[in-house]
Amino acid sequence: MKIRTAILTVSDRSSRGEREDLSGPILRSKALENGLDVVYFAIVPDELTAIQNQILAWCADPKLDLILTTGGTGFAPRDVTPEAVRPLIERLTPGVDELIRRRAQSFSVHAALSRAISGIRGKVFIINFPGNPKACNEDFDTLIEILPHAIALINELPPNVIGH
């Protein structure tokens, strides 16, 4: 069983076509390389309602397992991804956030500036990634170690049923 995945880039400039989205395609490429099935991909501006509306639309798909967001997790005033996602999450997964930040700090001290969160809504695992392409690449490598087991647990499946 493949992990059905959606990827959401949160960026004002990329949503307006003023800047190429680099992080979203990195997440898509990493997901495909690791056997995930990317079924949705979108770019929205750094706006609470745009982020929430896209995530809620995807969560309505009963076959979706995972949503990865990239962007909007820093300290800038327009960085609102955690604030948009937090009200949608039914169960926070702070251990995942801690793992990603801890490992990311071995690459860059700036990882401490990430406000990214993760959690579960229904049967969908939602994880925020930073907007930095290099950080997305490194954080995905950390996440893939635990992702199949996490998805299996969320769906009450034996751990070996989910592949990557």
Side-chain angles (χ1 to χ4, degrees):
M1 181 175 146
K2 284 195 171 191
I3 298 171
R4 291 177 40 92
T5 306
I7 298 170
L8 180 64
T9 296
V10 179
S11 168
D12 286 332
R13 289 183 285 170
S14 293
S15 71
R16 293 190 302 257
E18 298 170 5
R19 182 180 72 185
E20 181 183 4
D21 172 22
L22 300 175
S23 297
I26 284 175
L27 287 178
R28 176 189 278 171
S29 176
K30 296 292 284 187
L32 293 172
E33 286 171 19
N34 284 279
L36 281 63
D37 186 11
V38 179
V39 295
Y40 301 113
F41 186 90
I43 302 173
V44 298
D46 291 276
E47 296 174 3
L48 283 167
T49 56
I51 298 164
Q52 290 177 334
N53 288 343
Q54 186 61 73
I55 289 172
L56 288 172
W58 286 342
C59 284
D61 179 345
K63 294 182 180 176
L64 190 68
D65 299 303
L66 176 67
I67 297 174
L68 307 176
T69 73
T70 177
T73 62
F75 282 22
R78 298 270 308 154
D79 289 340
V80 297
T81 301
E83 288 75 21
V85 171
R86 186 172 287 113
L88 306 180
I89 289 176
E90 296 163 346
R91 294 185 297 151
L92 291 168
T93 54
V96 173
D97 309 340
E98 294 163 10
L99 172 67
I100 291 171
R101 270 191 279 280
R102 185 174 60 250
R103 288 209 182 154
Q105 286 175 351
S106 69
F107 298 109
S108 171
V109 69
H110 292 119
L113 302 178
S114 173
R115 299 180 316 106
I117 64 169
S118 63
I120 302 162
R121 178 180 180 87
K123 300 277 185 178
V124 180
F125 192 12
I126 303 169
I127 305 167
N128 298 158
F129 282 79
N132 178 288
K134 183 177 180 290
C136 280
N137 189 52
E138 295 161 353
D139 291 354
F140 189 93
D141 287 344
T142 295
L143 175 70
I144 197 62
E145 295 179 38
I146 62 168
L147 193 55
H149 189 69
I151 298 297
L153 289 170
I154 292 167
N155 288 285
E156 301 178 282
L157 299 170
N160 60 349
V161 171
I162 303 283
H164 76 271

